Amino acid sequence: KNLRALVSRLKQTGAKLIWATSTPVPDQMNSPRSPPNRSATVGLYNEVAAKVMKENEIQVDDLYTLVLPVEARMQKPHDVHFSVEGSEFLAKQVAASIDAALAGPK
């Protein structure tokens, strides 16, 4: 419900909207505040949000799927953050997604 309200409000701005999926979250986090089974929750949140984006014809930048094959190499162990290499990898994808959106349909 909240996401639909946010999307509705953002669409009113006339801006080109792009939604990026949340990246994977390790099951074993360094933080004692991290809830258990958080990795499964991220997948569920991405799934629900993707449905809302599809309903609203909002471009999706699927960072979750992009990261999965390189997660062990690019994401810091037991952390949601990425190495410098991982951050650069994600940045290139995000920039490409923005460039594609600004270029418009071909």
Side-chain angles (χ1 to χ4, degrees), residues 7-101:
V7 167
S8 176
R9 183 176 242 173
L10 288 169
K11 287 178 82 172
Q12 291 174 16
T13 69
K16 176 68 178 174
L17 302 178
I18 304 169
W19 172 68
T21 57
S22 294
T23 54
V25 174
D27 282 323
Q28 301 297 319
M29 295 285 292
N30 282 334
S31 170
R33 296 177 302 209
S34 180
N37 300 317
R38 190 152 173 219
S39 62
T41 305
V42 169
L44 178 62
Y45 286 167
N46 279 338
E47 185 179 312
V48 171
K51 180 180 175 186
V52 172
M53 298 310 139
K54 184 174 182 176
E55 290 169 1
N56 287 278
E57 299 177 339
I58 294 175
Q59 179 180 328
V60 175
D61 190 355
D62 190 358
L63 300 179
Y64 184 90
T65 301
L66 178 75
V67 166
L68 281 179
V70 296
E71 181 180 6
R73 191 175 87 239
M74 303 250 184
Q75 193 168 17
K76 293 180 180 180
H78 310 293
D79 196 340
V80 296
H81 299 102
F82 290 81
S83 66
V84 171
E85 179 187 15
S87 294
E88 290 172 355
F89 177 74
L90 287 168
K92 287 178 185 174
Q93 172 60 32
V94 170
S97 182
I98 292 169
D99 282 346

